[in-house]
Amino acid sequence: IVATQGYTDTCMMAILCSDKNLYVVGCNTQCQMADGTIVSKAAVQKWGSGTALATTLLAHVVDMWVVSSDYPAVYVKLDNGLIYTAGYGTTYMTMGTVLSAISVPALCPAPFNGSQTIVKMTGGGSFSTTYADTAAVLTDQNKVYTWGKWATLGGLTPATTNLPQLWMDPYRGTETIVDIKLFGNGQAQGLHVHFANGEVWTTNLNVYTSGEMGIGSANGQYMPARVCF
């Protein structure tokens, strides 16, 4: 089982089998099954069934992630490294240029359309006064990207976008990144990045003002800062 996504009436389960086929069952009201419909299913079916890409996906899925809950975005990784997405797009969680529901598998924009692939994905945020979901990924080229409500913009005030934004790595790629975690809820979100040398660096994505970032001061900052241990 690679995903159990659910909030109120939008529950879905996804199972990745050893033959590289991804099966889904449950709610499909936000297009998360990528079968061209918004009809929920009581029986398991392959992700992307009945679409033009069904054959491309057949026996080639190696990983899958879901970010957000009430209005989910699904990401599927193939064994050639390409990343496809589907789901609810209005909250900026599905990568690309479309701000609407994506009901069939859509190839993600650069760099996830061939030059890089995703190793890990993390998401944070929820409904506050509005939907404020943000996501981040670690790639096979030791880079971190964010997108969504509070995407990092290299030290500038974060912006809302559904296009991946490169995180400002303090080591500029010379130190291996081993893990990432996007944390927070609602309007207060941040990103922690764990390096192989044991250091953890963090970036404020909006309004952390109570010391949650662990940098020795109450106010967070948009530039990467090393966590104090």
Side-chain angles (χ1 to χ4, degrees):
I1 298 176
V2 290
T4 53
Q5 165 270 323
Y7 177 79
T8 62
D9 59 348
T10 60
C11 300
M12 180 193 74
M13 179 172 68
I15 301 171
L16 180 57
C17 295
S18 58
D19 61 359
K20 297 184 181 180
N21 282 309
L22 177 65
Y23 293 89
V24 289
V25 64
C27 183
N28 190 34
T29 57
Q30 308 302 336
C31 305
Q32 55 266 55
M33 292 186 180
D35 63 357
T37 77
I38 55 171
V39 179
S40 299
K41 306 298 190 300
V44 295
Q45 66 179 40
K46 293 183 178 72
W47 191 79
S49 293
T51 68
L53 285 171
T55 302
T56 300
L57 299 169
L58 183 65
H60 288 292
V61 179
V62 294
D63 213 340
M64 179 259 200
W65 302 270
V66 178
V67 287
S68 186
S69 55
D70 196 8
Y71 292 108
V74 173
Y75 288 88
V76 170
K77 176 180 176 179
L78 303 190
D79 51 12
N80 61 5
L82 295 179
I83 307 294
Y84 288 86
T85 186
Y88 190 84
T90 306
T91 56
Y92 295 86
M93 283 289 91
T94 50
M95 284 189 208
T97 57
V98 178
L99 285 178
S100 60
I102 300 175
S103 63
V104 298
L107 183 63
C108 286
F112 306 117
N113 56 2
S115 61
Q116 296 185 56
T117 193
I118 295 173
V119 176
K120 295 183 179 182
M121 183 178 294
T122 177
S126 66
F127 182 82
S128 179
T129 56
T130 184
Y131 284 96
D133 295 299
T134 309
V137 295
L138 172 63
T139 78
D140 61 337
Q141 293 187 16
N142 201 43
K143 298 180 184 296
V144 174
Y145 291 84
T146 66
W147 73 98
K149 180 65 176 179
W150 308 114
T152 179
L153 293 180
L156 301 176
T157 302
T160 300
T161 177
N162 59 351
L163 295 175
Q165 304 297 313
L166 182 63
W167 180 71
M168 183 181 292
D169 181 357
Y171 287 103
R172 300 184 179 183
T174 61
E175 188 69 35
T176 301
I177 298 171
V178 296
D179 203 3
I180 58 172
K181 181 64 68 176
L182 200 148
F183 59 95
N185 185 31
Q187 301 297 316
Q189 298 176 39
L191 176 68
H192 279 151
V193 178
H194 180 201
F195 288 89
N197 62 6
E199 292 181 353
V200 176
W201 287 69
T202 185
T203 300
N204 183 24
L205 298 184
N206 191 25
V207 287
Y208 269 106
T209 57
S210 300
E212 301 98 323
M213 297 179 66
I215 60 175
S217 64
N219 294 321
Q221 53 191 23
Y222 301 138
M223 296 287 288
R226 190 168 61 183
V227 175
C228 300
F229 290 103

